[in-house]
């Protein structure tokens, strides 16, 4: 399949930028760094040349000779052409170093001054290419960059392969790209060295396609359109860009239910094979392209009597993928189906949809085909589409319901009841449920341009606000308008005040005002007999009170759970079920919390509620993490993050939880990056609530990474934010123990004790047993820093046992580790077996690595201060004394960091404080103090 080279690209295209290939590029870079070679392979348009150029540019920067060639199909019959591209510019450098026979053969092949063939000069030419590469390598490393290896002329391919197999340790590497469809890539390895790493480039994910389209300037496309582009392109980046360009240049967008327009540049890829079909076979394939799940039975029902023979003909041409185990027909690539449909005249498409409107067995499909076969308004068709949309909604397919609802609106006469805008608003609400916020916003904005009925206008404004997600600050100007539209209608005002409650929480971070707004919204909804809004407002009020540590929280939860309930609210991520789950989680009832959130997740998935699924996955991951199931939590957190990025919903919150899971059971560097990403999302959205959560995750990751000073900085900011928001329940974020531990590590036990004392008051008032146990663990570290060894050990053992009984597996393991480190100061070999066992049970790999490091280091040196300097060091904090004492023993900063389980940066910062307090300037002065000498 030949790909044309004249595709248009926007002016701001950066072809050297690689999107979605980070892991593959990393593998290729490592191979090249080791001195190996790389072969990139994959189908046409998958991005091989882009990756090749990026890797070549990186390696060309190093001092080396780079030889390049890029073959084309039209020139593949010309012998030695690729060889001429590779050696033409360096021929003068290598010719004098070649034996006469080899030089003559190579010059004849490259310059055409004499007739040269592989048959006549085969050995001389082969040896000449090998000798030329060795000669160049004698001056420094050589990189051969060859694109489109499949079009390499056979003579050049043979000569390169001969040389590649005999280079041995000569510093010559090859970086090649080759197109592979169904055939194997192995035969192309014959032109590469034996150690070549073959890297296959696969299709992009939906999120990667969206990122690519944004980068290339197609930023006006909705997420639903990006989803359609991903599906039609099959994840092929070149095809996706061409589809995006066609949409950007088209004056009209496709109607709901219709495939995307396929540009001529892409139709050419498949039309040549379509032209080989008989006219009847092509009509049969057109029916298949219009069906949602085409099968032979469907084709027969649609009047295609010879479907078996005609689909067999299409399969023989590679247009259909055959699978004896699969009754459904599948096109070899989605683009074939799209191009076939786009090429058909409008009257043929309508005829196909007419046939399928009776042939399809599913009522939703029948209604969709009926709509696409009908032109103009038709109340009967509109009613059938509205019924189909309701059925799709009940089946848990809100995205399908939204598409059908838009079709229903298009066929609804203007004077009908319900009217077209009412059906559009229902479609917008379905789109919100499906996670297609930008589609919903576009529909609502369109309705607002003409709606005059207050109920419709308020409903449309609610969609606009919902579509903003956490970025409620961006729709601040909406609230005065929607309040004016609501007038004095209590039902409409309830909707507005419910959203104002969210604004107070997210934008201003004022929990108390948010609580009062929610209570007011619930009262208004009750007066307006809007039970759904009343329940949502009560659930919001209950959640806010829970996070505040408010005494009314249990009573409000009970009110929110009273009958009659609303099925939608019951499984919504801001509904009463969620409020109850949050209460269970914060009240140390982990098994009940897990049961509750698992049921909510199952129901949200059944109903197709994408936003709720994202959040419930995250909350289930949080529950598993607190229970010490780090591996399970990591899988769930990653799944939530993938879904969030794919849908554009809750990305910051999912990144925050993924950071916590990575720091506990995965990769600490990734945890740090995710926490910073979450904080950036919250900062951009102006979301104070999630900013504090993101910073708490960052502080925890920094603590696990050994950077206690950075952890203190992050967690102190969390403390300030939560105090400003009025959050007093320490079970909300459970960061207090981490801050206290980090403070002890940097030599600030006094501040740590003050934090513990303050937090303990609220934890006792609210009966937060898990928080109290963690605070005891942190207080034991304070006592140990003050030299109260026995009391610290007893407190740690008690905290470990209580955390174990409560089911906090990871916190139990952390207490056991702290206890083992304290006991390691006693005479005899340190015992880390229990801590290792508990961390292994949790699959807490970053913590387990710390245990291994501590065990390998052996017993720590006792904390001693030289008798010559008791007065000088007495004024230092505990951490400062330990660092100073180890400097006196001659330990390097890295050795000190390893023995005290802190980072080198923390050692350096601590030494700076020691110098300032002791009035000295360097490590040498500390050693002089140890010897009792004057440092002045």
């Amino acid at each position: 399949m030949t790909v044309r080279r004249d595709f248009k690209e926007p002016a701001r295209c950066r072809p050297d930028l690689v999107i979605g290939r980070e892991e593959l590029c990393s593998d290729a870079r490592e191979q090249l760094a080791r001195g190996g070679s790389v072969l990139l392979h994959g189908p046409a348009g998958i991005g091989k040349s882009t990756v090749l150029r990026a890797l070549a540019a990186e390696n060309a920067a190093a001092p080396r000779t780079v030889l390049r060639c890029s073959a084309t199909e039209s020139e593949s019959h010309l012998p030695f052409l690729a060889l001429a591209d590779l050696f033409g510019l360096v021929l003068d450098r290598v010719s004098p170093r070649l034996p006469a026979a080899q030089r003559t053969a190579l010059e004849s092949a490259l310059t055409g001054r004499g007739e040269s063939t592989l048959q006549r000069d085969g050995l001389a030419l082969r040896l000449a290419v090998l000798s030329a590469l060795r000669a160049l390598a004698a001056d420094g490393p050589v990189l051969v960059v060859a694109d489109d290896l499949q079009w390499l002329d056979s003579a050049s391919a043979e000569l390169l392969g001969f040389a590649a197999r005999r280079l041995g340790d000569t510093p010559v590497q090859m970086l090649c790209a080759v197109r592979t469809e169904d055939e194997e890539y192995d035969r192309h390895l014959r032109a590469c060295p034996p150690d070549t790493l073959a890297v296959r480039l696969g299709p992009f994910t939906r999120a990667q396609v969206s990122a690519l389209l944004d980068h290339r300037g197609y930023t006006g496309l909705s997420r639903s359109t990006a989803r359609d582009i991903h599906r039609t392109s099959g994840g092929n980046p070149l095809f996706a860009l061409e589809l995006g360009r066609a949409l950007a240049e088209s004056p009209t967008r496709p109607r709901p239910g219709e495939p995307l327009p396929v540009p001529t540049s892409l139709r050419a890829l498949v039309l040549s094979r379509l032209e080989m079909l008989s006219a009847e076979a092509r009509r049969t394939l057109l029916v298949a392209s219009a069906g949602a799940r085409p099968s032979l039975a469907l084709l027969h029902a649609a009047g295609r009597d010879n479907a078996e023979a005609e689909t067999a003909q299409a399969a023989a041409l590679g247009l259909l993928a055959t699978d004896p185990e699969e009754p459904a027909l599948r096109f070899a690539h989605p683009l074939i189906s799209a191009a076939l449909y786009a090429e058909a005249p409008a009257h043929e498409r309508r005829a196909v949809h007419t046939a399928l409107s009776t042939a399809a067995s599913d009522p939703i499909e029948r209604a969709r085909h009926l709509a696409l076969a009908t032109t103009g308004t038709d109340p009967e068709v509109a009613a059938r589409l509205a019924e189909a949309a309701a059925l799709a909604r009940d089946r848990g397919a809100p995205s399908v319901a939204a598409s059908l609802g838009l079709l229903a609106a298009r066929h609804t006469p203007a004077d009908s009841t319900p009217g077209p805008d009412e059906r559009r608003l229902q479609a917008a609400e379905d789109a919100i449920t499906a996670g297609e916020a930008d589609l919903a916003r576009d529909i609502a904005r369109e309705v607002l341009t003409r709606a005059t009925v207050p109920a419709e206008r308020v409903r449309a404004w609610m969609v606009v606000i919902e579509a903003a997600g956490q970025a409620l600050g961006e729709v601040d100007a909406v609230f005065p308008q929607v309040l004016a539209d609501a007038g004095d209608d209590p039902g409409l005002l309830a909707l507005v005040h419910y959203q104002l409650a969210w604004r107070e929480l997210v934008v201003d971070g004022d929990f108390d005002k948010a609580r009062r707004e929610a209570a007011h919204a619930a009262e208004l909804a009750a007066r307006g007999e809007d039970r759904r809004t009343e329940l949502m407002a009560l659930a919001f009020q209950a959640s806010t009170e829970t996070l505040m540590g408010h005494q009314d929280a249990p009573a409000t939860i009970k009110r929110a759970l009273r009958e009659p309930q609303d099925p939608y609210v019951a499984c919504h991520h801001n509904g009463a079920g969620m409020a109850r789950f949050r209460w269970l989680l914060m009240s140390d009832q982990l098994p009940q919390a897990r049961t509750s959130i698992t049921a909510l997740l199952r129901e949200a998935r059944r109903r197709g509620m994408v936003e709720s699924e994202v959040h419930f996955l995250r909350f289930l991951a949080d529950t598993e993490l607190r229970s010490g199931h780090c591996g399970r939590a990591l899988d769930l957190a990653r799944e939530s993050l993938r879904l969030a990025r794919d849908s554009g919903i809750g990305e910051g919150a999912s990144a925050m939880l993924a950071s916590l899971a990575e720091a506990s059971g995965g990769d600490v560097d990734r945890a740090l990056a995710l926490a910073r990403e979450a904080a950036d999302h919250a900062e951009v959205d102006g979301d104070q609530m999630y900013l504090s959560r993101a910073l708490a995750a960052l502080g925890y990751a920094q603590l696990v990474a050994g950077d206690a000073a950075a952890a203190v900085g992050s967690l102190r900011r969390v403390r300030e934010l939560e105090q400003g928001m009025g959050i007093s329940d320490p079970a909300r974020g459970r960061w207090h123990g981490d801050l206290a531990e980090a403070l002890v590590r940097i030599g600030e036990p006094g501040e740590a004790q003050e934090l513990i004392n303050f937090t303990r008051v609220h934890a006792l008032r609210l009966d937060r047993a898990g928080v109290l146990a963690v605070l005891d663990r942190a207080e034991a570290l304070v006592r140990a820093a003050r030299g109260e060894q026995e009391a610290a050990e007893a407190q740690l053992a008690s905290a470990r046992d209580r955390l174990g009984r409560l089911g906090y597996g990871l916190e139990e393991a952390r207490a056991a580790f702290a206890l083992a480190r304290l006991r390691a100061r006693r005479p005899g070999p340190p015992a880390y077996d229990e801590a290792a066992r508990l961390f292994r049970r949790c699959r807490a790999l970053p913590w387990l690595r710390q245990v291994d490091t501590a065990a390998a280091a052996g017993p720590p040196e006792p904390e001693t201060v030289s008798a010559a300097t008791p007065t000088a060091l007495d004024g230092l904090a505990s951490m400062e004394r330990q660092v100073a004492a180890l400097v006196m023993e001659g330990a390097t900063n890295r050795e000190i960091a390893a023995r005290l389980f802190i980072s080198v940066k923390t050692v350096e910062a601590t030494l700076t404080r020691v110098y300032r307090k002791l009035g000295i300037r360097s490590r040498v002065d500390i050693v002089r103090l140890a010897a009792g000498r004057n440092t002045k």
Side-chain angles (χ1 to χ4, degrees), residues 382-405:
R384 284 186 58 182
L385 284 164
E387 290 170 5
L391 181 58
R393 199 174 304 120
D394 291 341
R395 287 182 181 179
S399 179
V400 175
S403 177
L404 291 168

Side-chain angles (χ1 to χ4, degrees), residues 824-847:
R825 297 178 183 177
R826 298 176 179 174
Y832 291 98
D833 292 349
E834 183 190 15
R837 177 182 65 80
L838 291 174
F839 281 132
R840 197 173 292 112
R841 184 183 69 184
C842 294
R843 285 182 59 192
L845 301 183
W847 287 102

Side-chain angles (χ1 to χ4, degrees), residues 331-656:
F331 283 90
H333 192 283
L335 186 63
I336 297 172
S337 173
L340 179 65
Y341 188 91
E343 193 72 9
H347 71 275
E348 285 190 17
R349 294 187 207 172
R350 286 196 296 273
V352 164
H353 287 300
T354 299
L356 289 172
S357 68
T358 57
S361 58
D362 186 85
I364 291 176
E365 275 301 291
R366 288 199 300 270
R368 183 178 73 87
H369 288 300
L370 180 62
L372 295 173
T374 305
T375 57
T377 60
D378 186 321
E380 187 175 334
V381 171
R384 284 186 58 182
L385 284 164
E387 290 170 5
L391 181 58
R393 199 174 304 120
D394 291 341
R395 287 182 181 179
S399 179
V400 175
S403 177
L404 291 168
L406 288 175
L407 284 170
R410 185 162 59 85
H411 289 289
T412 301
D415 57 352
S416 295
T417 303
D421 279 345
E422 189 172 345
R423 282 179 167 152
R424 286 189 183 92
L425 287 172
Q426 179 61 65
E429 289 162 358
D430 286 329
I432 286 285
T433 303
E436 298 176 12
D438 37 7
L439 173 62
R441 181 174 49 248
D442 290 346
I443 297 169
R445 292 285 188 188
E446 180 194 350
V447 170
L448 284 166
T449 60
R450 56 177 173 268
T452 56
V453 178
E456 285 188 356
R457 291 189 60 79
V458 170
R459 192 173 169 190
W461 284 125
M462 291 301 103
V463 171
V464 171
I465 295 169
E466 286 276 358
Q470 298 297 117
L472 284 175
E474 295 179 2
V475 291
D476 254 354
V478 166
F479 288 103
Q481 299 177 59
V482 69
L483 279 169
D485 285 333
D488 58 0
D489 186 313
L492 298 180
L493 285 171
L495 293 170
V496 183
H497 283 279
Y498 173 70
Q499 294 296 346
L500 282 170
W502 276 105
R503 189 208 166 280
E504 293 295 345
L505 183 65
V506 172
V507 179
D508 291 343
D510 192 324
F511 272 66
D512 190 51
K513 283 186 73 174
R515 170 185 169 272
R516 293 200 302 271
E517 281 285 4
H520 184 41
E523 292 171 7
L524 288 167
R527 282 166 43 201
E529 298 182 352
D530 180 354
R531 182 61 173 164
R532 174 174 291 187
T533 302
E534 181 186 8
L535 289 171
M536 291 293 287
L538 285 170
F540 180 94
Q541 181 185 344
S543 293
T544 307
E545 290 172 348
T546 299
L547 295 172
M548 293 172 64
H550 197 284
Q551 60 184 7
D552 292 344
T556 308
I557 291 173
K558 287 181 181 178
R559 285 179 62 201
L561 290 170
R562 283 178 194 156
E563 296 294 339
Q565 284 292 310
D566 182 290
Y568 173 83
V569 177
C571 63
H572 193 277
H573 58 280
N574 291 321
M578 186 62 223
R580 178 175 178 273
F581 159 77
R582 185 175 281 112
W583 173 262
L584 291 170
L585 191 67
M586 294 174 65
S587 301
D588 305 309
Q589 300 179 60
L590 295 181
Q592 297 92 325
R594 183 186 294 106
T595 300
S596 173
I597 197 66
T598 301
L600 288 169
L601 174 60
R602 183 168 54 248
E603 183 63 14
R605 281 175 166 165
R606 189 187 73 79
R607 289 175 167 271
M609 299 170 70
V610 175
E611 184 172 7
S612 293
E613 182 181 355
V614 169
H615 291 299
F616 291 154
L617 277 169
R618 175 168 60 86
F619 285 120
L620 180 56
D622 191 11
T623 307
E624 298 293 359
L625 192 60
R626 296 186 190 214
S627 302
H629 305 151
C630 297
R632 171 72 172 147
L634 189 57
D635 290 342
L636 288 164
R638 287 173 175 173
E639 185 182 353
S640 173
L641 184 58
R642 281 194 299 271
L643 184 57
R645 286 178 170 162
D646 198 28
S647 63
I649 294 171
E651 291 181 74
S654 293
M656 174 273 297

